[in-house]
Amino acid sequence: MKQSKLLIPTLREVPNNAEARNLQLLLRAGFIRQVSGGVYAYLPLAMRVLKKMNAIIEEEFEKIGAVEIKMPTLLPLSLLEKTGLTSSDEKAYNFKNRTGKNFILGSTYEELISELIGDEVSSYKRLPLTLFQIETKYRNDKRSRFGLLRSYEFIMSDAYSFHATEKSLDEMYRAYQKAFSRIFERLGVKVKSLLGDSQIDEQTDALEYMALSESGDKVGCFSTGSDYAADLQAATSAFTSKKSHESLKEIEKVTFDQQKNLEEAAVALDIPLQKTIKTQLYIADDQPILILVRADQKVNELKVKKYLQVQRLNAADETKVETYFKSAPTYLGPIGVSIDCTIYADLQVQDLANALTGANEENTYLQNINPERDLQVEYYADFRLVKEGDVSPDNSGTLELKKGVEVGRMVKVGTYFSERLKTSVLDENGQHIPVQMGYYELGISRLLATVAEQNSDQEGINWPAEVAPFDLHIVQTNMEDETQTKLTNTVEKMMIEAGYQVLVDDRLERGGVKFADADLIGCPVRITVGNQADEGTVSIKFKQTQATIEVKQEELISTLDILLNSES
């Protein structure tokens, strides 16, 4: 294919607003262009890479029996309401049609696919069944970040499996794990699998696949002494109770002349943050609750939600806090709570002695709080986010926190959706049983960005062979040289007949410009037709290793076969 016929608008300089490495690479190499914040156009080179990525995914999914479908972009909002996951609507694009019916642009499809199976499959004999699609999804985030890693619209593969038994679901879950591993290997991307968080229920298994990146919007926790790895929201740490042996003191009220938050009050009173109790008000479904953690810790809202088994958990805003407690959130405390409000506390709170906490009064705190004596805690549990240096939950090493981007995930959904949507089949005894479901997603546009970022150098992208836009990039240095033109045409024909996908730079540009663009684009092999054309000699450069070699035209195919096979 002639480069002059393609839209490849390369850039010499990094755009000012492109902070993420993946965005810099793809913009400069002419793969994408930003249409507006968080919205991108995929240009010809990107489309070629995406088609190859999709083909790999389709091939590996079909090996495990998955069948491709296509679901609509417009989804009735009533589907989400049936499952009770109305919180999922917060990041959806909502609108009404001309008749006033509410729709959203597709971002999740669990409800639709579950209802479809319920309508069309009635017997266990039709199961297991696994379906997948590759589709553009839409997410109404507050802001986009990191280029294709966090955009308002994105390309995703989502697969769903349906089963009559948990054993069958387990088998398919393992099959998808193997398929994901093969896909990542073929794409040339390095990922780590982690225990994932699940928004569904406490028992649901989930795996996440993270590519480490400073541009990532996720945090993974990795043990220094074992294979333990988990998403920050799902991570736990070892807890050993260490009761304080201090003598219990009487509660004292401390009032400051000016506003101080809990951390500032602790400093003023020379009390370590590890001896303070932070109180946060949440609305769990429709009930107010208090969560207590140390002030040097943060509440893990997902852990709270799962522990309480509620569908909605929202941090109370300042207005709600003042309504319930007649106090600003800064001075919120667990002593003398007058409303019907259950108190839950993190495990580390119960070991405190003579702690500091809010007094539910302006500029006022309570000192010498002792949980066993002074607090009416309903339950103690692990309610906090882990921190760097915490002991690994298997007591082997400590936890390291690393940034990354989630490029895939899978969840054993179980019967969550089937129970709410009445999706059942008849078993061998003629009894109705809820359908077991698994969910498996791959972020394709994220993978495009991640592959580019992980396989790059200062000159540009180094595409892995299976997903490169072209196998070979032929660069003719002087378009006015007839000998070069003749040899270029001959080499192009030879390579195409040998099964290679070939891009030929036939532009009327200087050789230096062409070489710089070829480095940005990143095809695995560059063939230069230059000053030795009259001798029938070309230069081969391998982008990944930067190795170069000069060969005769007639030896070109055999040389490439040998060298490319040795590199792979």
Side-chain angles (χ1 to χ4, degrees):
M1 187 172 291
K2 304 298 185 184
Q3 194 163 336
S4 62
K5 304 299 182 183
L6 286 174
L7 178 61
I8 310 177
T10 56
L11 300 173
R12 298 277 77 81
E13 302 294 333
V14 176
N16 292 331
N17 59 347
E19 296 182 3
R21 172 72 173 159
N22 74 85
L23 186 56
Q24 296 173 5
L25 290 163
L26 293 171
L27 285 173
R28 289 194 63 205
F31 281 72
I32 64 173
R33 280 296 178 265
Q34 183 169 310
V35 176
S36 66
V39 180
Y40 297 89
Y42 297 91
L43 303 185
L45 292 180
M47 289 304 300
R48 292 183 67 89
V49 175
L50 287 170
K51 286 180 179 179
K52 292 184 176 183
M53 293 173 63
N54 292 348
I56 290 172
I57 293 169
E58 291 167 6
E59 181 180 329
E60 294 297 341
F61 279 4
E62 287 172 0
K63 285 180 183 177
I64 61 174
V67 180
E68 187 172 13
I69 60 172
K70 180 177 175 59
M71 290 184 280
T73 300
L74 297 180
L75 301 179
L77 183 59
S78 56
L79 271 178
L80 271 68
E81 295 170 345
K82 288 183 181 180
T83 60
L85 287 181
T86 52
S87 60
S88 302
D89 182 47
E90 294 175 0
K91 292 186 178 181
Y93 287 93
N94 294 269
F95 59 94
K96 297 178 184 290
N97 67 4
R98 295 187 180 188
T99 65
K101 187 174 181 179
N102 290 305
F103 285 87
I104 63 171
L105 291 179
S107 57
T108 61
Y109 285 83
E110 292 94 331
E111 297 88 356
L112 176 59
I113 193 71
S114 295
E115 190 162 86
L116 189 151
I117 292 298
D119 291 341
E120 304 300 332
V121 178
S122 59
S123 170
Y124 77 99
K125 295 179 180 179
R126 297 278 304 278
L127 302 177
L129 181 65
T130 181
L131 307 169
F132 77 95
Q133 67 169 349
I134 295 175
E135 190 62 85
T136 299
K137 307 291 184 63
Y138 302 88
R139 178 174 47 216
N140 192 10
D141 273 344
K142 291 181 179 179
R143 67 187 184 97
S144 64
R145 295 179 294 170
F146 312 127
L148 297 182
L149 299 183
R150 195 74 183 180
S151 54
Y152 294 134
E153 67 171 45
F154 51 98
I155 306 169
M156 179 180 286
S157 164
D158 47 311
Y160 309 85
S161 65
F162 301 92
H163 311 265
T165 65
E166 290 185 31
K167 180 182 178 182
S168 177
L169 172 57
D170 291 342
E171 291 172 352
M172 184 57 71
Y173 195 77
R174 290 192 293 271
Y176 267 102
Q177 289 181 48
K178 293 178 181 178
F180 273 31
S181 294
R182 292 192 296 267
I183 288 168
F184 294 136
E185 182 179 359
R186 293 179 64 182
L187 294 181
V189 63
K190 297 179 178 64
V191 302
K192 293 182 178 293
S193 61
L194 301 83
L195 298 174
D197 61 53
S198 169
Q199 300 288 342
I200 297 173
D201 61 50
E202 187 178 5
Q203 303 302 320
T204 300
D205 291 340
L207 274 179
E208 293 181 7
Y209 293 86
M210 175 184 287
L212 298 181
S213 171
E214 285 303 310
S215 299
D217 59 350
K218 298 280 282 187
V219 176
C221 305
F222 303 90
S223 172
T224 60
S226 69
D227 293 332
Y228 177 80
D231 177 273
L232 179 60
Q233 298 293 328
T236 59
S237 58
F239 172 75
T240 302
S241 181
K242 297 178 181 178
K243 289 284 186 181
S244 173
H245 297 296
E246 294 181 39
S247 298
L248 304 188
K249 300 177 181 180
E250 293 298 318
I251 297 176
E252 295 181 16
K253 183 180 289 189
V254 181
T255 302
F256 294 94
D257 294 333
Q258 57 185 0
Q259 290 187 350
K260 291 184 184 295
N261 60 32
L262 183 57
E263 290 82 356
E264 292 168 340
V267 171
L269 296 169
D270 197 24
I271 296 174
L273 280 181
Q274 291 84 351
K275 289 186 63 175
T276 62
I277 300 173
K278 180 169 58 178
T279 305
Q280 293 185 233
L281 175 66
Y282 287 89
I283 308 301
D285 287 339
D286 296 320
Q287 297 300 314
I289 64 168
L290 289 180
I291 303 295
L292 312 183
V293 296
R294 291 186 345 207
D296 62 322
Q297 310 282 12
K298 293 183 179 180
V299 175
N300 185 322
E301 295 179 0
L302 184 62
K303 288 181 180 177
V304 175
K305 183 179 178 182
K306 286 186 173 183
Y307 185 87
L308 299 181
Q309 297 184 354
V310 295
Q311 292 183 4
R312 298 182 305 279
L313 181 76
N314 298 309
D317 58 21
E318 186 172 350
T319 301
K320 277 192 169 62
V321 172
E322 291 181 347
T323 299
Y324 283 117
F325 288 87
K326 312 302 180 188
S327 170
T330 304
Y331 309 106
L332 196 60
I335 302 293
V337 177
S338 59
I339 65 170
D340 184 13
C341 183
T342 306
I343 301 175
Y344 302 90
D346 183 69
L347 291 169
Q348 295 189 5
V349 171
Q350 65 184 330
D351 287 347
L352 297 180
N354 302 320
L356 181 71
T357 192
N360 298 316
E361 296 180 23
E362 190 79 9
N363 299 340
T364 304
Y365 293 91
L366 297 177
Q367 199 170 351
N368 301 328
I369 299 299
N370 292 280
E372 288 187 6
R373 183 190 70 187
D374 304 320
L375 302 182
Q376 302 297 316
V377 176
E378 186 77 12
Y379 294 105
Y380 287 95
D382 177 14
F383 292 133
R384 71 181 188 94
L385 285 172
V386 300
K387 297 172 66 176
E388 184 99 14
D390 283 350
V391 178
S392 179
D394 54 11
N395 285 295
S396 179
T398 57
L399 295 180
E400 292 182 328
L401 273 57
K402 299 179 181 180
K403 293 179 67 175
V405 54
E406 181 186 302
V407 295
R409 69 184 278 114
M410 56 180 65
V411 182
K412 288 183 184 178
V413 180
T415 60
Y416 181 90
F417 289 102
S418 60
E419 289 176 354
R420 286 158 178 76
L421 294 170
K422 312 302 180 187
T423 303
S424 65
V425 294
L426 294 175
D427 65 11
E428 61 269 26
N429 299 315
Q431 301 296 315
H432 283 279
I433 57 172
V435 174
Q436 300 279 340
M437 177 177 161
Y439 173 67
Y440 321 87
E441 73 175 28
L442 289 169
I444 295 176
S445 47
R446 284 187 169 197
L447 280 167
L448 172 68
T450 302
V451 173
E453 183 170 312
Q454 286 191 354
N455 298 274
S456 64
D457 53 31
Q458 294 304 312
E459 296 177 333
I461 306 171
N462 304 324
W463 290 106
E466 277 211 73
V467 294
F470 292 91
D471 302 319
L472 309 174
H473 197 166
I474 301 176
V475 175
Q476 181 179 338
T477 60
N478 184 355
M479 294 304 300
E480 296 179 354
D481 187 315
E482 294 183 0
T483 302
Q484 287 189 22
T485 300
K486 183 177 179 181
L487 182 56
T488 297
N489 292 337
T490 301
V491 170
E492 178 186 15
K493 183 178 179 182
M494 287 171 50
M495 295 297 99
I496 292 174
E497 290 177 350
Y500 291 101
Q501 296 179 349
V502 181
L503 175 64
V504 179
D505 192 342
D506 60 335
R507 299 174 299 160
L508 295 172
E509 295 282 2
R510 292 180 292 106
V513 172
K514 292 187 174 187
F515 293 147
D517 284 352
D519 286 334
L520 286 173
I521 292 168
C523 296
V525 177
R526 186 180 79 201
I527 299 174
T528 302
V529 179
N531 294 333
Q532 294 179 290
D534 56 349
E535 302 173 10
T537 299
V538 299
S539 175
I540 304 174
K541 179 181 178 180
F542 296 92
K543 184 69 165 65
Q544 186 71 40
T545 64
Q546 299 293 305
T548 60
I549 185 175
E550 293 181 350
V551 298
K552 293 289 187 180
Q553 164 199 328
E554 57 270 20
E555 299 171 349
L556 183 55
I557 292 177
S558 60
T559 301
L560 281 177
D561 286 344
I562 294 170
L563 294 179
L564 289 177
N565 287 332
S566 66
E567 282 202 343
S568 61

